[in-house]
């Protein structure tokens, strides 16, 4: 089910006069990730990643789509930087493909590194701030062959990669994020199997999560040592859980949902411990943790990236867990996700209340998929415009409630490879025709551009 016509649409991008969005120091940006846009998977020494393997396996992605070509950004990056800069945004969030920059024997791959050096240099020359994620899900396949994130050894390989690439690119990055959405890497990669490498064991997922977070902590040390002027953080996807059952069982289900999605990551990072209720939810799946690990994981952060998309309604499963039950008659996106802006405000205010050492926040991803079509060179993505308006209003409310949110990145700069959903789901504010690689600005992109021009013209 998609957009319901009863929902009020705002055709303009129109933050109220007192919104934080008008502040010139509130960073507005757009985001992408390497495997989703680059293509060129076998060029210039890039080695296979788990997503190459997974997407080439029949039945794993919609229509068998792979990232082999994607948006061909590897070849078109100069035009894409031009498009991005013309949007008037202040920042671009991208990720580095680990398999592109490091050989199988752990040596730097000069050609792959040159790609990012050129890209970051061009972005900087356009006055854009660079937010760079080290790991957005594309583990080199040879490491997965040794057990991937379930194997503690991968932690040390990741730290070596972080060390090498931050030496190579020091001075070109404003903000480093170690990981994008460890929840998805751990749970979808090793628990549900919806993502690469497609394993299905919750004990693998919890061990993978511990190793991802430990890898994060070790990477933080290298990033700080090699690029002291840059900010260092991590990006977590968070979910709002509520229950139509107002009784104790329903409320516990909603609490457990958020514990499993949010606190599983934020507690180790900000409190140096895992929530123990997780091990009641997943009996026997407590990860193996060595002495000193939690101190490494809990190293201070300069920022926390928050990715928010939707709310989930849950009820008790009658045992230790919860069941997801779709609400009827709510507005949804092309992904089937509920549009629920207040969840973002609620979560931000809650994190501010619950974590005394919460670092400054960037909303590193927010956006929606729609089945956009180009008609006469125009893409009228009205629902996305309304979505962005409402989520930005939620951010503004959180800021007014005292949360230190410093910026917002639209997911995504352009339509791209949406993982298991292939190319059908379009998240971009720029439309991509995959047959011709033509880029067309959607109305959302034009309105954001116009707003940012107005903002910078204000005294
Ligand atoms: O496309 C993804 C992105 O890679 C990670 N966060 C969620 C987005 C939409 O599903």
């Amino acid at each position: 089910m998609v957009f319901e016509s009863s929902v009020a649409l705002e055709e303009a991008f129109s933050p109220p006069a007192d919104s934080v969005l008008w502040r010139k120091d509130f960073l507005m940006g757009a985001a992408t990730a390497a495997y989703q846009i680059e293509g060129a998977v076998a060029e210039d020494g890039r080695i296979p990643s788990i997503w190459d393997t997974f997407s080439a396996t029949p039945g794993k992605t919609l229509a068998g789509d792979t990232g082999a070509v994607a948006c061909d950004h590897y070849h078109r990056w100069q035009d894409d930087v031009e498009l991005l800069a013309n949007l008037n945004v202040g920042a671009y969030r991208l990720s580095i493909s680990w398999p592109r920059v490091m050989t199988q024997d752990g040596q730097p791959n000069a050609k792959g590194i040159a790609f990012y050096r050129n890209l970051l240099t061009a972005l900087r020359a356009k006055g854009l701030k660079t937010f760079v994620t080290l790991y957005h899900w594309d583990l080199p396949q040879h490491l997965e062959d040794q057990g991937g994130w379930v194997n503690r050894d991968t932690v040390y390989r990741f730290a070596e990669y972080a060390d090498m690439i931050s030496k190579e690119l020091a001075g070109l990055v404003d903000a480093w994020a170690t990981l994008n959405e460890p929840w998805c890497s751990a749970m979808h990669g090793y628990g549900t199997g919806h993502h690469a490498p497609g394993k299905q064991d919750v004990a693998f997922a919890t061990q993978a999560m511990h190793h991802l977070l430990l890898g994060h902590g070790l990477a933080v040390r290298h990033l700080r040592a090699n690029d002291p002027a840059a900010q260092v953080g991590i990006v977590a996807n968070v979910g709002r859980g509520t229950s139509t059952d107002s009784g104790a069982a329903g409320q516990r289900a909603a609490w457990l949902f958020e514990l499993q999605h949010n606190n599983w990551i934020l507690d180790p990072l900000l409190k140096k411990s895992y929530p123990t209720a997780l091990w009641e939810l997943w009996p026997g799946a407590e990860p193996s943790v060595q002495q000193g690990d939690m101190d490494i994981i809990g190293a201070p952060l300069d920022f926390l990236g928050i990715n928010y998309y939707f709310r989930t309604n849950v009820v008790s499963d009658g045992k230790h867990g919860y069941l997801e039950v779709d609400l009827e008659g709510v507005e949804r996106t092309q992904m089937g996700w509920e549009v629920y802006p207040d969840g973002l405000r609620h979560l931000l205010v809650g994190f501010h209340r619950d974590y005394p050492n919460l670092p400054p926040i960037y909303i590193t991803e927010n956006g929606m998929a729609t089945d956009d079509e180009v008609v006469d060179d125009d893409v009228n993505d009205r629902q996305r415009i309304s979505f962005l308006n409402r989520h930005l209003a939620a951010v503004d409310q959180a800021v007014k409630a005292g949360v230190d949110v410093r910026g917002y990145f639209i997911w995504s700069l352009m339509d791209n490879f949406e993982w298991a959903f292939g190319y059908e789901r379009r998240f971009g504010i720029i439309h991509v025709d995959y047959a011709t690689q033509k880029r067309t600005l959607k109305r959302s992109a034009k309105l954001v551009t116009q707003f940012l021009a107005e903002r910078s013209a204000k005294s």
Side-chain angles (χ1 to χ4, degrees):
M1 206 237 301
V2 286
F3 191 49
E4 301 212 334
S5 55
S6 61
V7 178
L9 280 173
E10 294 142 84
E11 290 274 8
F13 189 71
S14 53
D18 69 342
S19 167
V20 64
L21 280 189
W22 286 103
R23 273 186 12 209
K24 289 181 188 167
D25 63 349
F26 185 84
L27 199 61
M28 286 290 292
T32 63
Y35 190 72
Q36 294 181 272
I37 64 165
E38 286 178 4
V41 291
E43 270 180 62
D44 292 339
R46 182 187 177 279
I47 56 175
S49 81
I50 53 174
W51 270 97
D52 297 304
T53 310
F54 187 77
S55 61
T57 308
K60 297 297 184 190
T61 65
L62 209 62
D65 288 342
T66 76
V69 177
C71 308
D72 196 30
H73 174 73
Y74 191 71
H75 300 116
R76 296 166 193 264
W77 65 270
Q78 280 152 312
D79 292 344
D80 289 339
V81 168
E82 205 60 42
L83 273 178
L84 179 65
N86 288 339
L87 295 179
N88 297 332
V89 291
Y92 178 48
R93 174 171 177 249
L94 64 124
S95 80
I96 290 180
S97 161
W98 181 359
R100 200 182 284 294
V101 297
M102 205 163 200
T103 65
Q104 183 150 342
D105 51 7
Q107 297 306 307
N109 174 23
K111 285 188 178 163
I113 294 168
F115 169 71
Y116 295 105
R117 188 173 291 122
N118 293 337
L119 175 60
L120 293 170
T121 305
L123 291 165
R124 282 288 191 83
K126 293 281 185 193
L128 289 158
K129 288 199 188 307
T130 50
F131 277 59
V132 176
T133 304
L134 289 178
Y135 184 71
H136 198 123
W137 307 354
D138 42 1
L139 185 71
Q141 180 62 45
H142 68 95
L143 294 177
E144 181 54 39
D145 296 341
Q146 306 299 315
W149 286 108
V150 181
N151 180 352
R152 192 174 170 104
D153 199 48
T154 299
V155 173
Y156 306 111
R157 301 292 81 76
F158 179 67
E160 285 162 14
Y161 155 57
D163 184 25
M164 179 281 285
I165 199 70
S166 57
K167 278 181 183 139
E168 294 282 352
L169 300 178
L172 292 172
V173 175
D174 290 284
W176 291 99
T178 53
L179 305 175
N180 178 71
E181 302 184 355
W183 189 91
C184 290
S185 301
M187 191 43 100
H188 283 327
Y190 295 91
T192 66
H194 296 324
H195 284 182
K199 304 261 167 72
Q200 289 176 308
D201 183 332
V202 77
F204 285 176
T206 55
Q207 192 63 61
M209 175 65 89
H210 182 67
H211 290 156
L212 281 152
L213 294 176
L214 188 61
H216 150 81
L218 292 179
V220 165
R221 295 177 173 181
H222 292 300
L223 296 169
R224 291 204 185 288
N226 297 337
D227 199 4
Q231 301 276 295
V232 176
I234 184 170
V235 170
N237 56 307
V238 296
R240 176 76 179 119
T242 59
S243 182
T244 39
D245 169 6
S246 57
Q251 295 316 296
R252 179 175 160 80
W255 172 78
L256 260 182
F257 175 90
E258 290 195 1
L259 186 95
Q260 194 262 104
H261 283 80
N262 309 337
N263 308 91
W264 184 18
I265 295 97
L266 298 183
D267 278 18
L269 291 170
L270 301 172
K271 292 184 174 170
K272 300 188 179 182
S273 62
Y274 289 105
T276 48
L278 283 177
W279 321 132
E280 289 163 37
L281 181 65
W282 299 317
E286 195 168 343
S288 142
V289 175
Q290 295 185 12
Q291 200 172 5
D293 285 1
M294 301 313 288
D295 281 330
I296 296 172
I297 292 171
L301 299 169
D302 299 324
F303 73 93
L304 175 66
I306 291 289
N307 295 353
Y308 173 79
Y309 287 94
F310 58 95
R311 162 179 70 173
T312 306
N313 178 57
V314 291
V315 294
S316 168
D317 68 354
K319 293 177 278 182
H320 292 297
Y322 59 83
L323 297 171
E324 299 185 8
V325 181
D326 274 354
L327 293 173
E328 299 282 328
V330 297
E331 182 190 349
R332 293 190 183 276
T333 74
Q334 193 193 15
M335 296 294 285
W337 296 344
E338 184 190 355
V339 177
Y340 191 69
D342 193 54
L344 178 55
R345 179 203 60 80
H346 181 98
L347 291 170
L348 291 172
V349 170
F351 299 151
H352 175 64
R353 179 193 59 229
D354 297 341
Y355 296 106
N357 56 345
L358 186 73
I361 287 177
Y362 288 93
I363 307 303
T364 32
E365 284 182 30
N366 180 234
M368 67 174 294
T370 46
D371 54 352
D372 300 316
E373 282 175 21
V374 184
V375 179
D376 296 334
D377 237 14
D378 179 40
V379 183
N380 189 355
D381 57 339
R382 304 156 74 225
Q383 193 188 2
R384 178 173 292 104
I385 296 160
S386 171
F387 180 102
L388 295 175
N389 266 321
R390 288 178 282 162
H391 284 79
L392 281 158
V395 172
D396 183 45
Q397 286 161 13
V399 170
K400 292 194 169 108
V403 189
D404 184 1
V405 186
R406 306 224 170 146
Y408 175 99
F409 291 77
I410 297 169
W411 184 269
S412 174
L413 172 67
M414 59 182 132
D415 296 336
N416 58 49
F417 177 73
E418 177 52 25
W419 307 111
F421 295 97
Y423 295 101
E424 189 194 81
R425 311 292 161 95
R426 294 182 174 271
F427 273 92
I429 56 170
I430 297 177
H431 182 276
V432 177
D433 177 334
Y434 296 109
T436 61
Q437 291 295 346
K438 181 170 189 247
R439 276 72 159 140
T440 304
L441 260 60
K442 300 182 189 178
R443 287 200 194 173
S444 55
K446 292 180 182 167
L447 289 169
V448 168
T449 306
Q450 195 180 315
F451 163 70
L452 290 171
E454 274 173 44
R455 183 172 91 167
S456 63
K458 271 195 143 194
S459 47

